[in-house]
Amino acid sequence: MDYQTHEVRDVDVLVIGGGIAATFAAIKAKEAGARRVVQVDKGSVGKTGNSCFAAGVVHICFPGDDLNNRLLRLTRSVGFLAQQDLIRDHLQDCYPILEDMRRYGVQFVMNPDGTYRRMTGRGAYPVVVFFSTQLMDALRKYAQEIGVEQVNRF
């Protein structure tokens, strides 16, 4: 939608921003039952800011992994210069988010049997790899498919 001619009224959730966090928030709001979710971006959702350059790895604690071991290894990999409670929160919450992202169409490096390929990352810690601009393309497309209205500046 063109921001100059679009008037936003009567919304359940208004999301400002077009990056990973904002698009994920818009999707989650819609999935939680919000009738009208509008996402507004300074440019075009997923095409401005740093999120369009997101690529690389994510540390995931899979079901069956030893959470305390993963926490220790990740904390040690950053020279113990991180808040362990935040790393623990991430590790506890990350697997369902990974599954959501896959359901939304984000492509990850996979094994032939369809499981996630866990690769050696910095410090030899297993990480999951995702693909650059495809991440935002998939999130933007999924948001549109479920009815998130996106207002783009250009």
Side-chain angles (χ1 to χ4, degrees), residues 1 4-7 13 37 43 68 77-78 103 149:
M1 288 181 221
Q4 292 179 340
T5 60
H6 188 75
E7 194 170 302
V13 177
V37 177
N68 290 325
S77 75
V78 295
R103 184 171 50 87
E149 297 174 49

Side-chain angles (χ1 to χ4, degrees), residues 63-85:
D65 284 356
D66 181 336
L67 175 63
N68 290 325
N69 180 270
R70 292 286 289 152
L71 176 63
L72 174 65
R73 292 170 67 186
L74 269 171
T75 306
R76 186 174 46 219
S77 75
V78 295
F80 297 96
L81 298 174
Q83 292 180 271
Q84 290 186 29
D85 59 329

